[in-house]
């Protein structure tokens, strides 16, 4: 093994270079990418919902109503009543426009996506890409 091959192998092992042809087989990471795309789509919708709620956008417009309809089931899973959202003093209720339920849903779905990605990576780690 010459010094160029030795250097490229060590750079590859540290994640700093592409796989040197013939030394290490490439791995199929497509299932992991699919999980991250789905997780990112859910996170984007929840972030959009959070932003629309922060800006107090009315749900009378069709796109905003669609975002609320799509994300309502996702956020409803975390509507546990653990967040105090307003006060009843003086007959006027002051609502808190930041939805902690949406933030909790974003954190849990990201963590769930990461865990699924790890398990998918472990399940597919022995499979090589055929050229």
């Amino acid at each position: 093994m010459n010094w160029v091959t030795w250097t490229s192998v060590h750079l590859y092992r540290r994640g700093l270079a592409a796989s040197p042809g013939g030394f290490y087989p490439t791995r199929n990471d497509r299932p992991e990418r699919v999980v991250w795309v789905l997780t990112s789509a859910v996170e984007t919708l929840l972030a959009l919902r959070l932003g629309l709620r922060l800006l107090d956008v009315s749900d009378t417009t069709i796109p905003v109503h669609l975002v609320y309809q799509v994300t309502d089931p996702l956020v409803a899973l975390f509507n546990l009543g653990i967040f105090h959202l307003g006060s009843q003093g003086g007959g006027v209720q002051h609502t808190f426009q930041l939805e902690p339920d949406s933030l909790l849903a974003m954190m849990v779905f990201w963590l769930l996506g990461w865990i699924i990605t790890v398990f998918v990576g472990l399940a597919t780690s022995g499979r090589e890409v055929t050229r």
Side-chain angles (χ1 to χ4, degrees):
M1 186 182 307
N2 60 17
W3 72 273
V4 173
T5 306
W6 182 83
T7 304
S8 64
V9 167
H10 283 284
L11 287 175
Y12 171 72
R13 286 183 181 166
R14 294 176 190 209
L16 301 174
S19 171
F23 285 105
Y24 294 100
T26 55
R27 191 169 67 85
N28 185 7
D29 63 345
R30 183 169 291 158
E32 295 172 26
R33 289 183 185 189
V34 168
V35 171
W36 274 121
V37 165
L38 294 175
T39 303
S40 298
V42 169
E43 291 288 324
T44 301
L45 285 172
L46 289 171
L48 188 60
R49 175 191 175 98
L50 186 65
L52 291 172
R53 290 286 185 185
L54 278 173
L55 295 174
D56 199 24
V57 177
S58 173
D59 63 345
T60 57
T61 58
I62 293 173
V64 175
H65 184 68
L66 181 66
V67 168
Y68 289 159
Q69 270 189 327
V70 170
T71 57
D72 274 342
L74 300 173
V75 174
L77 295 171
F78 303 99
N79 190 3
L80 306 173
I82 57 175
F83 302 109
H84 181 65
L85 299 178
S87 63
Q88 297 290 338
V92 177
Q93 182 177 1
H94 301 286
T95 59
F96 189 59
Q97 290 299 320
L98 176 66
E99 281 189 349
D101 301 332
S102 296
L103 287 173
L104 182 62
M106 288 176 71
M107 288 186 279
V108 169
F109 281 120
W110 181 86
L111 186 64
L112 186 64
W114 180 75
I115 289 170
I116 291 172
T117 302
V118 168
F119 283 125
V120 166
L122 289 173
T124 61
S125 64
R127 299 183 184 162
E128 299 175 10
V129 175
T130 56
R131 296 181 197 203

